[in-house]
mmCIF file of all heavy atoms in Angstrom:
data_model
loop_
_atom_site.group_PDB
_atom_site.id
_atom_site.type_symbol
_atom_site.label_atom_id
_atom_site.label_comp_id
_atom_site.label_asym_id
_atom_site.label_seq_id
_atom_site.Cartn_x
_atom_site.Cartn_y
_atom_site.Cartn_z
ATOM 1 N N LYS A 572 -11.634 88.677 137.617
ATOM 2 C CA LYS A 572 -10.300 88.097 137.848
ATOM 3 C C LYS A 572 -10.261 86.662 137.298
ATOM 4 O O LYS A 572 -9.316 86.256 136.624
ATOM 5 C CB LYS A 572 -10.037 88.111 139.346
ATOM 6 C CG LYS A 572 -8.754 87.446 139.773
ATOM 7 C CD LYS A 572 -8.634 87.451 141.281
ATOM 8 C CE LYS A 572 -7.663 86.404 141.736
ATOM 9 N NZ LYS A 572 -7.756 86.096 143.148
ATOM 10 N N GLU A 573 -11.333 85.900 137.586
ATOM 11 C CA GLU A 573 -11.383 84.497 137.153
ATOM 12 C C GLU A 573 -11.300 84.404 135.631
ATOM 13 O O GLU A 573 -10.608 83.556 135.076
ATOM 14 C CB GLU A 573 -12.683 83.820 137.628
ATOM 15 C CG GLU A 573 -12.725 83.473 139.104
ATOM 16 C CD GLU A 573 -12.865 84.699 139.996
ATOM 17 O OE1 GLU A 573 -13.373 85.743 139.492
ATOM 18 O OE2 GLU A 573 -12.455 84.654 141.162
ATOM 19 N N ASP A 574 -12.028 85.304 134.983
ATOM 20 C CA ASP A 574 -12.041 85.312 133.529
ATOM 21 C C ASP A 574 -10.653 85.588 132.964
ATOM 22 O O ASP A 574 -10.204 84.945 132.011
ATOM 23 C CB ASP A 574 -12.994 86.419 133.048
ATOM 24 C CG ASP A 574 -14.145 85.820 132.271
ATOM 25 O OD1 ASP A 574 -14.140 84.590 132.098
ATOM 26 O OD2 ASP A 574 -15.037 86.590 131.864
ATOM 27 N N ILE A 575 -10.013 86.560 133.574
ATOM 28 C CA ILE A 575 -8.684 86.943 133.080
ATOM 29 C C ILE A 575 -7.717 85.783 133.255
ATOM 30 O O ILE A 575 -6.968 85.432 132.337
ATOM 31 C CB ILE A 575 -8.169 88.206 133.801
ATOM 32 C CG1 ILE A 575 -9.047 89.400 133.406
ATOM 33 C CG2 ILE A 575 -6.705 88.482 133.448
ATOM 34 C CD1 ILE A 575 -8.778 90.675 134.178
ATOM 35 N N ILE A 576 -7.774 85.149 134.415
ATOM 36 C CA ILE A 576 -6.875 84.014 134.653
ATOM 37 C C ILE A 576 -7.132 82.940 133.604
ATOM 38 O O ILE A 576 -6.208 82.416 132.974
ATOM 39 C CB ILE A 576 -7.071 83.439 136.071
ATOM 40 C CG1 ILE A 576 -6.586 84.452 137.113
ATOM 41 C CG2 ILE A 576 -6.330 82.119 136.231
ATOM 42 C CD1 ILE A 576 -6.857 84.058 138.549
ATOM 43 N N LYS A 577 -8.406 82.627 133.413
ATOM 44 C CA LYS A 577 -8.762 81.578 132.444
ATOM 45 C C LYS A 577 -8.197 81.911 131.069
ATOM 46 O O LYS A 577 -7.639 81.083 130.380
ATOM 47 C CB LYS A 577 -10.283 81.455 132.358
ATOM 48 C CG LYS A 577 -10.804 80.168 133.003
ATOM 49 C CD LYS A 577 -12.263 79.991 132.709
ATOM 50 C CE LYS A 577 -13.104 80.404 133.909
ATOM 51 N NZ LYS A 577 -14.521 80.512 133.640
ATOM 52 N N ARG A 578 -8.349 83.156 130.692
ATOM 53 C CA ARG A 578 -7.910 83.542 129.357
ATOM 54 C C ARG A 578 -6.392 83.522 129.221
ATOM 55 O O ARG A 578 -5.852 83.062 128.228
ATOM 56 C CB ARG A 578 -8.453 84.921 129.003
ATOM 57 C CG ARG A 578 -9.828 84.837 128.440
ATOM 58 C CD ARG A 578 -10.574 86.128 128.591
ATOM 59 N NE ARG A 578 -11.992 85.878 128.527
ATOM 60 C CZ ARG A 578 -12.732 86.071 127.446
ATOM 61 N NH1 ARG A 578 -12.170 86.519 126.356
ATOM 62 N NH2 ARG A 578 -14.014 85.809 127.450
ATOM 63 N N PHE A 579 -5.725 83.999 130.251
ATOM 64 C CA PHE A 579 -4.259 83.983 130.186
ATOM 65 C C PHE A 579 -3.741 82.560 130.038
ATOM 66 O O PHE A 579 -2.904 82.263 129.200
ATOM 67 C CB PHE A 579 -3.652 84.632 131.439
ATOM 68 C CG PHE A 579 -3.250 86.049 131.198
ATOM 69 C CD1 PHE A 579 -4.098 87.093 131.521
ATOM 70 C CD2 PHE A 579 -2.034 86.334 130.609
ATOM 71 C CE1 PHE A 579 -3.745 88.411 131.267
ATOM 72 C CE2 PHE A 579 -1.670 87.643 130.347
ATOM 73 C CZ PHE A 579 -2.535 88.692 130.682
ATOM 74 N N VAL A 580 -4.296 81.698 130.866
ATOM 75 C CA VAL A 580 -3.841 80.314 130.825
ATOM 76 C C VAL A 580 -4.231 79.679 129.495
ATOM 77 O O VAL A 580 -3.475 78.905 128.919
ATOM 78 C CB VAL A 580 -4.421 79.545 132.034
ATOM 79 C CG1 VAL A 580 -4.135 78.070 131.907
ATOM 80 C CG2 VAL A 580 -3.825 80.075 133.322
ATOM 81 N N SER A 581 -5.394 80.047 129.001
ATOM 82 C CA SER A 581 -5.877 79.404 127.775
ATOM 83 C C SER A 581 -5.054 79.774 126.549
ATOM 84 O O SER A 581 -4.998 79.015 125.583
ATOM 85 C CB SER A 581 -7.340 79.761 127.523
ATOM 86 O OG SER A 581 -8.122 79.208 128.543
ATOM 87 N N THR A 582 -4.419 80.931 126.573
ATOM 88 C CA THR A 582 -3.623 81.288 125.396
ATOM 89 C C THR A 582 -2.601 80.190 125.111
ATOM 90 O O THR A 582 -2.326 79.868 123.972
ATOM 91 C CB THR A 582 -2.861 82.621 125.586
ATOM 92 O OG1 THR A 582 -2.190 82.560 126.823
ATOM 93 C CG2 THR A 582 -3.777 83.812 125.534
ATOM 94 N N GLU A 583 -2.058 79.590 126.171
ATOM 95 C CA GLU A 583 -1.127 78.491 125.989
ATOM 96 C C GLU A 583 -1.849 77.151 125.984
ATOM 97 O O GLU A 583 -1.562 76.286 125.189
ATOM 98 C CB GLU A 583 -0.097 78.480 127.128
ATOM 99 C CG GLU A 583 0.985 79.511 127.007
ATOM 100 C CD GLU A 583 1.988 79.151 125.924
ATOM 101 O OE1 GLU A 583 2.621 78.099 126.039
ATOM 102 O OE2 GLU A 583 2.128 79.933 124.972
ATOM 103 N N PHE A 584 -2.775 77.025 126.911
ATOM 104 C CA PHE A 584 -3.386 75.721 127.123
ATOM 105 C C PHE A 584 -4.126 75.234 125.879
ATOM 106 O O PHE A 584 -4.083 74.052 125.546
ATOM 107 C CB PHE A 584 -4.326 75.789 128.325
ATOM 108 C CG PHE A 584 -4.893 74.456 128.707
ATOM 109 C CD1 PHE A 584 -4.050 73.389 128.999
ATOM 110 C CD2 PHE A 584 -6.258 74.249 128.774
ATOM 111 C CE1 PHE A 584 -4.559 72.156 129.352
ATOM 112 C CE2 PHE A 584 -6.774 73.020 129.127
ATOM 113 C CZ PHE A 584 -5.932 71.974 129.417
#
Side-chain angles (χ1 to χ4, degrees):
K572 175 183 160 196
E573 285 72 24
D574 243 358
I575 293 172
I576 292 174
K577 252 189 259 169
R578 275 157 202 260
F579 261 95
V580 172
S581 294
T582 49
E583 283 287 299
F584 186 56

